[in-house]
């Protein structure tokens, strides 16, 4: 008798090969038979009319802190994700002593918009080294599987203390960092991550620790990891601008490091409307590096990268005159004042119509709107008029329309503000590149400002069903086999006998994302965006049903995956 039998499903196995009808049997967390099966099982799922695919793998998350207070892996789990890689961009909770935890919080608090109060309230700190952190995560109850990088900012503050935020490392500092990173990968870390992007700053407007490092420090650490024969190097990259000489120098550093170290290198890339062809030389670099003998893969998104504006969360005007006092009121009172106080309403519109003169906006923070590039999020349709177009049709200012829409929906209205990937043709071209993977949800970070844990269901609903730009088989491969293979999760990403039974049963005709909502269920009452899926019937991890129709079954079958060691 099998533990689980999925009958009558249409198997899309992750390889990109044609779908076929079959039953899938699971025993002891592994797929044991695929075919027309007559045996009984302790639990049977009738998947008639449904697709059975491998569980989706997301290689770019920041769930290092969230895992301590969220056992099921929201919101990724709702969208078919069964395994994630956390610790991207150099931001991890280890190595770090408990007494120095504020160094880690300083790196995470603004750069990734992770609440310091939530971390203080929600994390039971009982580690110092990265192997000890892996043991801690291994022991936590988990719904999905996690793998993790050792992060440069945490590594730097562990070795250098306060000097990490202001000084170049000494030779001894670099040797110690290299040795610690190498040991972490030998013990199961997925690799090493760093950030050199201007968008990553502390709450007091200083660079995060990894940004202070010179290139020799980065290179020495990655070369040490290369001695292990495995591992991935992830970098939130520099901004060389459009100067050809500066770009060439930066590209050569990336390429040479990939070739010399033998470590797989990956970084995220978006298009931007201000420089529409800026991304293309980076994709040329992928092929150039491969020709030179290195492995380099771009992480790309399936849609625009957008901040979600709302009165429940953030608006672009929260710190502006008049708005500051207004936004300090309880939400219900804000709604009441907008309905009854015409003078206040007009002042809010006038102030929000003025040019922006505030501090620099970084990362996913709400920014002064260009109303031609802000869209109402009253449904999940992508191709729709902007707020500027809608306001012109009504003969009102976009701010007035924003207020009207918010009041009409009890202040629960969202507005989508793309900050990258505005051109969907560029998005499609990047996804189709043979050296890219579709991932980069940033799940666990920016939790009250962006919601991209649904990028996989968006791929299936928009690019497969609506646009018919990919076959279902092609799209499933992009978020299963391709991502699992890049990060070395070789017992996942395919439906094959002997592999881990991480599976998703979904309806291809309805799979997609529902509208997000704002909830206040983080430690210390911090808020976050929540978004569940449509059409995902069952999410199965390690052979156990984790979710059915977005509802947790009570099972917690997830594992911490140590690189090079398999799951169990």
């Amino acid at each position: 008798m099998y533990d689980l039998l999925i009958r009558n499903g249409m198997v899309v196995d992750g390889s990109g090969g044609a779908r076929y009808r079959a039953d899938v049997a699971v025993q002891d967390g592994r797929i044991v038979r695929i075919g027309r099966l007559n045996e009984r099982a302790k639990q049977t799922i009738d998947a008639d009319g449904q697709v059975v695919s491998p569980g989706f793998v997301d290689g770019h998350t920041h769930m290092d802190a969230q895992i301590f207070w969220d056992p099921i892996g929201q919101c990724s789990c709702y969208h078919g994700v069964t395994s994630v890689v956390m610790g991207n961009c150099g931001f991890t909770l280890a190595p770090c002593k408990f007494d120095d935890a504020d160094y880690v919080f300083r790196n995470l608090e603004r750069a990734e918009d992770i609440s310091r109060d939530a971390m203080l309230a929600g994390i039971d700190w009982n580690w110092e080294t990265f192997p000890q952190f892996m043991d801690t995560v291994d022991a936590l109850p988990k719904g999905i599987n996690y793998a993790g990088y050792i992060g440069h900012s945490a590594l730097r503050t562990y070795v250098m203390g306060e000097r990490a935020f202001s000084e170049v490392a000494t030779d001894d500092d670099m040797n110690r960092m290299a040795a610690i990173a190498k040991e972490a990968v030998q013990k199961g870390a997925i690799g090493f991550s760093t950030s050199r992007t201007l968008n990553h700053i502390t709450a007091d407007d200083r660079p995060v620790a990894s940004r202070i490092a010179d290139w020799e420090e980065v290179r020495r650490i990655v070369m040490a990891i290369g001695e292990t024969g495995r591992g991935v190097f992830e970098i939130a990259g520099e901004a060389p601008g459009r100067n050809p000489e500066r770009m060439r120098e930066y590209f050569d550093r990336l390429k040479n490091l990939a070739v010399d170290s033998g470590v797989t290198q990956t970084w995220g890339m978006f298009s931007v409307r201000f420089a529409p062809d800026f991304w293309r030389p980076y994709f040329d670099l992928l092929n150039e590096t491969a020709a030179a003998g290195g492995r380099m893969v771009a992480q790309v998104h399936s849609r625009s990268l957008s901040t979600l504006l709302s009165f429940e969360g953030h608006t672009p005007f929260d710190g502006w005159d008049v708005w500051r006092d207004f936004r300090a009121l309880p939400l219900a009172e804000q709604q009441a004042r907008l309905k009854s106080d015409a003078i206040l309403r007009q002042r809010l519109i006038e102030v929000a119509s003025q040019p922006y003169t505030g501090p620099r906006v970084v990362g996913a923070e709400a920014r002064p709107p260009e109303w031609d590039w802000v869209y109402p999020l009253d449904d999940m349709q992508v191709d729709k008029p902007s707020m500027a177009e809608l306001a012109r049709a009504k003969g009102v200012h976009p701010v007035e329309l924003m207020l009207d829409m918010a009041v009409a929906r009890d202040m629960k209205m969202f507005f989508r503000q793309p900050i990258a990937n505005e051109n969907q043709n560029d998005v499609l071209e990047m996804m189709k590149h043979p050296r890219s993977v579709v991932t980069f949800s940033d799940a666990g970070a920016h939790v009250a400002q962006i919601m991209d844990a649904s990028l996989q269901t968006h791929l299936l609903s928009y690019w497969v069903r609506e646009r018919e730009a990919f076959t279902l088989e092609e799209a499933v491969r992009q978020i299963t086999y391709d991502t699992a293979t890049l990060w070395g999760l070789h017992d996942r990403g395919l439906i094959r006998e002997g592999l881990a039974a991480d599976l998703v049963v979904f309806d291809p005709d309805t799979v997609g994302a529902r509208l997000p909502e704002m909830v206040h269920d983080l430690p210390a009452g911090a808020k976050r965006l929540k978004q569940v899926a449509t059409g995902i019937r069952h999410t199965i991890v390690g052979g156990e049903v984790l979710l059915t129709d977005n509802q947790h079954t009570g099972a917690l079958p997830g594992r911490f995956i140590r690189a090079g060691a398999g799951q169990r």
Side-chain angles (χ1 to χ4, degrees):
M1 180 179 291
Y2 300 122
D3 291 335
L4 175 66
L5 183 59
I6 304 172
R7 290 191 180 277
N8 305 316
M10 191 62 65
V11 174
V12 178
D13 66 8
S15 70
R19 69 195 76 179
Y20 59 93
R21 191 176 182 87
D23 306 328
V24 179
V26 174
Q27 186 73 32
D28 297 327
R30 297 277 166 177
I31 300 166
V32 292
R33 290 282 304 279
I34 305 168
R36 303 302 291 170
L37 308 177
N38 296 317
E39 294 88 347
R40 293 181 300 159
K42 297 174 185 175
Q43 182 177 5
T44 300
I45 292 174
D46 184 0
D48 187 33
Q50 310 285 301
V51 166
V52 181
S53 81
F56 307 152
V57 177
D58 189 344
H60 195 116
T61 77
H62 294 275
M63 299 171 80
D64 310 61
Q66 178 181 325
I67 194 173
F68 287 90
W69 57 74
D70 172 18
I72 66 172
Q74 302 175 72
C75 291
S76 300
C77 64
Y78 298 126
H79 299 274
V81 173
T82 56
S83 299
V84 302
V85 179
M86 57 187 183
N88 283 269
C89 306
F91 300 125
T92 56
L93 300 179
C96 182
K97 301 176 184 178
F98 173 73
D99 291 343
D100 294 331
D102 199 62
Y103 289 144
V104 167
F105 297 161
R106 197 186 308 179
N107 285 315
L108 286 168
E109 186 176 13
R110 184 176 180 191
E112 297 300 336
D113 188 31
I114 299 175
S115 165
R116 186 177 187 277
D117 290 340
M119 288 188 282
L120 284 170
I123 297 175
D124 181 14
W125 204 288
N126 60 359
W127 65 86
E128 177 178 333
T129 68
F130 197 84
Q132 289 169 346
F133 174 74
M134 291 191 287
D135 290 342
T136 297
V137 175
D138 203 22
L140 291 172
K142 296 174 292 298
I144 62 175
N145 305 310
Y146 297 84
Y149 295 103
I150 180 170
H152 195 180
S153 282
L155 176 60
R156 204 166 201 272
T157 54
Y158 181 67
V159 170
M160 299 176 62
E162 187 65 37
R163 293 189 298 120
F165 293 96
S166 59
E167 297 181 16
V168 174
T170 66
D171 197 59
D172 287 343
D173 291 334
M174 287 189 277
N175 287 338
R176 190 176 172 205
M177 282 187 269
I180 292 170
K182 180 179 178 181
E183 180 194 29
V185 172
Q186 288 171 328
K187 295 290 181 67
I190 206 79
F192 167 71
S193 69
T194 191
S195 171
R196 301 175 70 79
T197 175
L198 299 176
N199 285 334
H200 286 157
I201 60 178
T202 64
D204 57 354
D205 290 327
R206 300 168 66 191
V208 297
S210 65
R211 286 181 52 198
I212 306 301
D214 60 18
W215 187 252
E216 175 57 27
E217 179 180 324
V218 175
R219 180 177 174 84
R220 194 173 299 189
I221 296 170
V222 176
M223 291 297 292
I225 288 173
E227 295 171 7
T228 70
R230 60 174 183 261
V232 176
F233 169 48
E234 185 269 337
I235 178 171
E238 298 177 18
R242 308 198 75 181
N243 181 289
E245 292 181 359
R246 289 181 60 196
M247 289 186 72
R248 186 68 260 171
E249 186 272 337
Y250 176 53
F251 286 0
D252 285 344
R253 278 190 280 127
L254 292 176
K255 177 184 70 174
N256 292 339
L257 183 54
V259 173
D260 295 345
S261 68
V263 175
T264 297
Q265 183 181 126
T266 184
W267 31 260
M269 181 52 57
F270 297 88
S271 68
V272 290
R273 59 190 171 89
F274 299 109
D277 292 323
F278 180 74
W279 61 273
R280 294 187 182 278
Y282 284 83
F283 277 65
D284 292 339
L285 177 64
L286 301 174
N287 296 329
E288 182 183 331
T289 300
R295 188 179 185 212
M296 184 183 289
V297 182
Q299 300 175 32
V300 301
H301 214 294
S302 65
R303 62 181 175 213
S304 300
L305 175 63
S306 300
T307 57
L308 299 187
L309 311 176
S310 75
F311 286 85
E312 290 185 293
H314 302 275
T315 80
F317 318 113
D318 291 348
W320 294 27
D321 290 342
V322 184
W323 282 80
R324 189 183 304 110
D325 294 337
F326 171 70
R327 293 286 286 139
L329 299 172
L331 197 62
E333 189 171 345
Q334 291 180 46
Q335 182 179 21
R337 293 286 299 276
L338 287 175
K339 288 180 176 179
S340 63
D341 192 336
I343 295 175
L344 172 62
R345 182 187 182 92
Q346 188 58 38
R347 289 180 66 201
L348 291 169
I349 295 170
E350 290 172 356
V351 169
S353 304
Q354 296 172 0
Y356 177 69
T357 58
R360 180 170 72 95
V361 177
V362 298
E365 295 175 358
R367 58 204 60 210
E370 296 178 65
W371 293 106
D372 284 308
W373 294 95
V374 177
Y375 303 87
L377 190 62
D378 47 0
D379 58 40
M380 293 307 298
Q381 293 300 310
V382 175
D383 305 315
K384 61 196 310 178
S386 70
M387 289 292 288
E389 293 174 282
L390 294 170
R392 282 193 292 268
K394 291 180 174 290
V396 299
H397 192 280
V399 180
E400 183 174 356
L401 180 60
M402 174 183 172
L403 298 177
D404 289 341
M405 286 182 165
V407 168
R409 288 181 173 252
D410 292 326
M411 309 301 279
K412 297 182 181 296
M413 177 76 188
F414 286 98
F415 303 88
R416 183 173 63 86
Q417 182 182 40
I419 58 177
N421 270 10
E422 299 94 340
N423 186 328
Q424 295 304 289
N425 291 330
D426 287 347
V427 173
L428 179 59
E429 189 173 346
M430 285 189 282
M431 286 194 294
K432 284 183 172 287
H433 194 282
R435 301 190 193 281
S436 73
V437 291
V438 179
T439 187
F440 214 129
S441 73
D442 254 2
H446 314 293
V447 294
Q449 300 192 62
I450 69 171
M451 173 41 68
D452 285 332
S454 57
L455 72 88
Q456 290 85 6
T457 46
H458 179 79
L459 173 65
L460 299 173
S461 63
Y462 182 70
W463 291 109
V464 174
R465 192 169 64 238
E466 293 185 34
R467 291 281 298 269
E468 298 183 343
F470 296 101
T471 66
L472 183 61
E473 290 84 350
E474 289 170 336
V476 167
R477 174 175 172 138
Q478 288 180 314
I479 53 180
T480 58
Y481 176 77
D482 288 352
T483 44
T485 299
L486 171 60
W487 279 281
L489 309 182
H490 297 302
D491 62 345
R492 288 169 169 76
L494 287 170
I495 296 181
R496 293 285 189 275
E497 293 178 7
L499 297 192
D502 294 347
L503 303 163
V504 183
V505 181
F506 67 89
D507 179 0
D509 295 328
T510 61
V511 65
R514 293 182 181 171
L515 281 170
E517 58 178 322
M518 189 69 73
V519 296
H520 293 76
D521 61 357
L522 297 185
K527 60 192 172 188
R528 69 178 176 97
L529 290 162
K530 179 180 179 180
Q531 186 180 41
V532 299
T534 59
I536 301 277
R537 183 76 177 114
H538 302 283
T539 300
I540 299 158
V541 179
E544 296 185 48
V545 179
L546 173 67
L547 297 170
T548 295
D549 295 329
N550 296 310
Q551 297 301 309
H552 182 211
T553 63
L556 293 170
R559 299 289 186 269
F560 184 81
I561 305 172
R562 296 177 190 263
Q567 180 181 346
R568 294 175 174 82

